[in-house]
Amino acid sequence: MADPAASATAPAQPQRQWTFVIDLRRCDGCGKCTLACQQEHHLPKSFEWIKVFRLQDETGRESYMPRPCMQCENAPCLRVCPVGATFKEPDGVILVDQGRCIGCRMCMAACPYGARYFNYDDPPAYNNPFGKATPEFPVPQQKGTVGKCMFCVHRTESGNPRLPACVEACTMGALYVGDLDQDIAVNGPGETVRLMPFVRENDGFRYKEELGTSPRVYYIAGHGQDLEY
Amino acid sequence: MPDRSDREQMVRAALRPVGRGGWRYWSIVVALAALVAWGLYAYSYQLRHGLGVTGLNQKVSWGFYILNCVFFIGISYGGAMTSAILRLTHARWRAPITRLAEATAVAALLVGAAYPLIDLGRPDRMLNLLLHPHAGSPVLWDLVAVGTYLVASLVFLYLPLVPDLALMRDRLGAGTRGLVGRLYRVGSLGWTGSDHQRQALALGVGIMAVLIIPLAVSVHSVLAWLFAVTVRGGWHSTIFAPYFVLGAMLSGVGAVILVIAAFSRGYGLGDYVGPKQYRYLGYLLLALALAYTYFMISEYLTDGYVADQSSGPLIAALFTGSYAPLFWAFTIGGLIVPILLVAAPGRYVEGRAVLAALLVVAGMWLKRFLIVVPGMAEPLMPWDWGVYHPSWVEISITIGTAAAIPLMLMLFFHFVPVMSVHEMEEVESESSREPGAAVLPRRQPAG
């Protein structure tokens, strides 16, 4: 766990613009990302901040689609919050101030991706090493409020940066975390790609593009087939 | 001028229930209070244990509470709108029922306005709505609209009450115990019935009647936008605001018919509330039900014809899928049958109107369920439907709040006349000035 003091005194980093690329050709639906996320944030099983949907096409063939929070540039959840508990960081990540959230769940109704989770019950007990839960690392979650994936900014923006828990756990290398500004992305096994060229060359798309939410997650279509690089 | 003894009889009928109540009255009050108390216990249980005691879950995160909010505020609507519209159109048959309609409006609104708070995960942070308001949120629009409407409904109930409070002050003031007597004295604002006062009151009531309509429209429009500003199938619809307004009026007129039937029977107002009121309210119900049917057809035809990824599965679920029994129960039982009941000519006007109203009110609750729950359960990521089974807490709170409305009305009419004496007199004197215009059920002159 990163030391909060270290991140405060770390040399000024360039402003990141966090992005995910999810290469569906590689996802085998193992669910390690979900598990790692739940361990990282001490979440109960029903909280799938990154959720792996199991799809079936007409021929009965299965494929998988992991869904983290899309960190929409034009986020519906942010617009509808009555108390401004949801806000956007300069790095593009949408955070929730669980100390302010009143639990009306309007954001859950508004999110087109079902990415938000309400704490109906007490979260598992946990001593936060940062002293107290912050929007960047809201652990333990607060009962009666809404939480979601925030691209693990407590890891990526600490003085000793690490990959988001799900990216790190994805041994298939299907999850990339990237920076739009530097145009670079990296996955768990350490493969580094040029972000937008990689997306474009592979016909990447953003889910529900037509809604105009401008998500920060790019998908590369596929069905879990083996790839040769 | 109306016969003097006629007036006396009317005043007596209006005042009869005040301050009294036999075993029947009190046993109903106690039964209703018990239901309310059970609902309060259920809420206290929820306060202690959190929203985890409800049937809500990660997919269906709005349920009974939100639909009850829409339903009860809708009920309140009918009261306010009926009374306002009938006043503005000078419908004379309104006089015996405006008080009941306006009181129902306030009681139902108090219940409806409580629901967003019951639904909050952190009710202790309610004040954040005022401390950190985010004006772009429909939830905040709701807060403003419902708050304004509540104040207006209270004023709309209170203004026509002033002369009646003066009547109580004069008739019972000396005989009633301290606090109640003082309430009459203070509440009547020194009413003497002078021409100046009457004009001022008529103006005030007139202004409120005009104001309450756009206010009521705004409240239900904003409630509709709570849903319509999302991208969910069946919710994201431009028709939603007027659709909600119409649905609210429909259920509200139904509720007014039920309240009037119950209170005219229980309080012996049979001489004043008769077939005329039921027939006309029935026609109002008919017009609204037909309009609602038209909106429904418009909604489902345009959505169902395209049947895109967001609305297609929802419509399939409503028409032929897991929600079909409820959907057809509403469409047939809550819309078509009531339309036939009130449209048919012939006898049993009251019975048919009351049965239609009952079906409409129950049906509109069902319709709100069918708006909120399937809209929530329908998969956003098109692969997994949600399920929702309300818990005993949600059911208890629903029943308790429903019981709170008649309870509030019965207690209210323990202290004030159930008919607006002043308004009855005004309408009577108006109609005696215009020969042939008397539409009130005139009693045979006693002398």
Side-chain angles (χ1 to χ4, degrees):
Chain A
M1 199 53 59
D3 177 7
S7 74
T9 55
Q13 288 183 353
Q15 181 60 65
R16 303 290 186 193
Q17 293 298 327
W18 297 116
T19 307
F20 263 40
V21 180
I22 301 181
D23 190 342
L24 297 177
R25 296 170 299 188
R26 292 182 170 188
C27 178
D28 66 351
C30 69
K32 280 185 198 139
C33 52
T34 311
L35 206 64
C37 172
Q38 289 171 343
Q39 279 167 0
E40 178 76 11
H41 298 100
H42 298 263
L43 299 172
K45 284 273 162 271
S46 60
F47 279 55
E48 298 167 289
W49 284 0
I50 180 163
K51 177 168 180 154
V52 182
F53 287 98
R54 190 175 294 266
L55 326 181
Q56 226 165 23
D57 66 13
E58 288 81 356
T59 64
R61 177 166 180 166
E62 277 201 344
S63 59
Y64 311 93
M65 177 175 172
R67 184 244 39 218
C69 171
M70 304 285 171
Q71 319 292 354
C72 308
E73 306 238 9
N74 183 17
C77 58
L78 191 150
R79 279 200 301 260
V80 300
C81 177
V83 295
T86 287
F87 57 100
K88 187 178 183 166
E89 286 286 89
D91 59 16
V93 173
I94 309 280
L95 298 180
V96 181
D97 181 353
Q98 293 199 325
R100 187 185 282 190
C101 172
I102 59 172
C104 70
R105 311 191 293 298
M106 181 75 214
C107 53
M108 296 176 74
C111 175
Y113 306 99
R116 287 179 161 256
Y117 290 80
F118 183 73
N119 288 280
Y120 287 99
D121 300 300
D122 280 312
Y126 172 69
N127 275 329
N128 188 315
F130 293 93
K132 68 182 179 73
T134 60
E136 290 81 7
F137 189 59
V139 182
Q141 287 275 293
Q142 282 194 37
K143 185 180 179 177
T145 68
V146 172
K148 68 168 191 70
C149 155
M150 65 295 290
F151 277 8
C152 277
V153 284
H154 69 288
R155 282 172 159 240
T156 56
E157 292 186 4
S158 74
N160 177 22
R162 288 187 300 155
L163 296 175
C166 55
V167 175
E168 193 178 273
C170 181
T171 47
M172 302 300 289
L175 298 177
Y176 292 78
V177 63
D179 177 1
L180 273 180
D181 248 21
Q182 308 281 312
D183 206 20
I184 194 167
V186 62
N187 65 5
E191 293 169 271
T192 305
V193 295
R194 300 278 294 162
L195 176 56
M196 286 322 287
F198 179 65
V199 168
R200 276 194 213 103
E201 279 158 26
N202 293 292
D203 295 327
F205 65 95
R206 297 188 293 184
Y207 191 50
K208 301 195 184 185
E209 177 80 67
E210 73 280 8
L211 297 180
T213 52
S214 223
R216 279 281 184 100
V217 176
Y218 291 88
Y219 286 95
I220 292 168
H223 305 282
Q225 66 266 47
D226 294 328
L227 289 175
E228 309 223 348
Y229 276 98
Chain B
M1 289 298 288
D3 197 291
R4 216 186 132 57
S5 63
D6 223 24
R7 177 190 188 270
E8 188 54 36
Q9 212 133 19
M10 183 264 287
V11 172
R12 277 214 199 118
L15 295 192
R16 195 179 298 135
V18 173
R20 291 205 228 149
W23 66 269
R24 235 167 50 128
Y25 173 86
W26 288 112
S27 53
I28 295 174
V29 165
V30 167
L32 291 172
L35 290 176
V36 173
W38 177 246
L40 284 173
Y41 168 74
Y43 181 57
S44 76
Y45 184 82
Q46 177 183 307
L47 274 182
R48 271 174 285 137
H49 298 278
L51 282 177
V53 302
T54 64
L56 299 169
N57 50 66
Q58 301 300 358
K59 283 203 66 73
V60 183
S61 51
W62 280 350
F64 264 33
Y65 298 152
I66 295 295
L67 81 94
N68 282 341
C69 170
V70 177
F71 174 75
F72 285 116
I73 292 181
I75 293 286
S76 120
Y77 227 69
M81 292 284 262
T82 323
S83 163
I85 290 172
L86 297 183
R87 275 180 203 285
L88 291 175
T89 53
H90 296 282
R92 296 198 169 80
W93 55 273
R94 76 175 191 269
I97 61 172
T98 46
R99 171 73 38 81
L100 276 165
E102 285 151 17
T104 308
V106 171
L109 184 57
L110 287 172
V111 165
Y115 266 107
L117 305 180
I118 296 174
D119 187 66
L120 284 191
R122 294 299 299 254
D124 53 311
R125 294 180 184 165
M126 211 163 66
L127 280 181
N128 280 5
L129 288 165
L130 305 176
L131 298 174
H132 309 285
H134 175 223
S137 168
V139 178
L140 212 74
W141 308 343
D142 263 330
L143 186 77
V144 173
V146 173
T148 317
Y149 177 53
L150 179 59
V151 172
S153 309
L154 284 169
V155 174
F156 196 45
L157 172 67
Y158 175 64
L159 281 185
L161 202 60
V162 170
D164 283 9
L165 289 175
L167 182 75
M168 308 297 297
R169 171 197 64 194
D170 300 340
R171 292 236 168 176
L172 312 170
T176 44
R177 272 165 292 130
L179 183 63
V180 178
R182 191 181 303 161
L183 273 179
Y184 291 144
R185 270 193 300 283
V186 174
S188 56
L189 303 174
W191 177 269
T192 55
S194 69
D195 280 349
H196 173 67
Q197 285 182 335
R198 297 171 91 91
Q199 278 162 13
L201 181 69
L203 181 67
V205 173
I207 290 174
M208 286 317 295
V210 172
L211 268 183
I212 205 97
I213 293 175
L215 275 178
V217 168
S218 76
V219 169
H220 244 71
S221 301
V222 171
L223 275 178
W225 291 332
L226 209 56
F227 303 94
V229 301
T230 72
V231 296
R232 287 173 184 269
W235 285 10
H236 184 56
S237 153
T238 54
I239 206 177
F240 246 39
Y243 197 15
F244 268 49
V245 170
L246 205 60
M249 287 179 67
L250 176 59
S251 64
V253 170
V256 166
I257 293 177
L258 293 182
V259 167
I260 287 168
F263 277 85
S264 72
R265 191 140 305 187
Y267 286 37
L269 307 179
D271 288 341
Y272 304 93
V273 180
K276 176 163 278 159
Q277 275 77 13
Y278 291 111
R279 183 170 297 121
Y280 287 177
L281 284 172
Y283 289 159
L284 204 53
L285 198 72
L286 174 63
L288 291 167
L290 286 171
Y292 197 81
T293 312
Y294 164 64
F295 269 54
M296 251 180 81
I297 292 171
S298 174
E299 181 202 11
Y300 290 126
L301 186 110
T302 47
D303 259 359
Y305 200 93
V306 174
D308 63 7
Q309 207 177 52
S310 73
S311 60
L314 184 77
I315 289 188
L318 288 176
F319 278 62
T320 53
S322 51
Y323 293 100
L326 294 179
F327 177 78
W328 292 110
F330 159 71
T331 307
I332 295 168
L335 219 45
I336 296 174
V337 171
I339 285 173
L340 296 177
L341 277 172
V342 287
R347 292 191 296 164
Y348 310 116
V349 173
E350 178 181 347
R352 286 188 284 122
V354 170
L355 183 58
L358 199 62
L359 288 172
V360 159
V361 170
M364 285 312 290
W365 187 87
L366 213 53
K367 179 67 164 97
R368 267 57 172 267
F369 181 91
L370 290 168
I371 290 172
V372 175
V373 174
M376 268 281 163
E378 199 212 357
L380 288 162
M381 313 292 287
W383 309 289
D384 58 338
W385 277 81
V387 286
Y388 170 59
H389 302 291
S391 73
W392 69 268
V393 174
E394 288 161 291
I395 294 169
S396 304
I397 291 178
T398 302
I399 294 173
T401 49
I405 294 173
L407 180 65
M408 279 192 266
L409 290 178
M410 288 180 80
L411 293 178
F412 182 64
F413 292 126
H414 195 62
F415 296 103
V416 303
V418 66
M419 291 189 295
S420 174
V421 174
H422 175 72
E423 196 160 348
M424 299 278 281
E425 286 173 356
E426 295 279 300
V427 168
E428 279 292 281
S429 63
E430 257 177 62
S431 59
S432 62
R433 278 201 300 273
E434 298 167 41
V439 283
L440 258 184
R442 291 294 294 273
R443 293 167 46 75
Q444 290 302 311

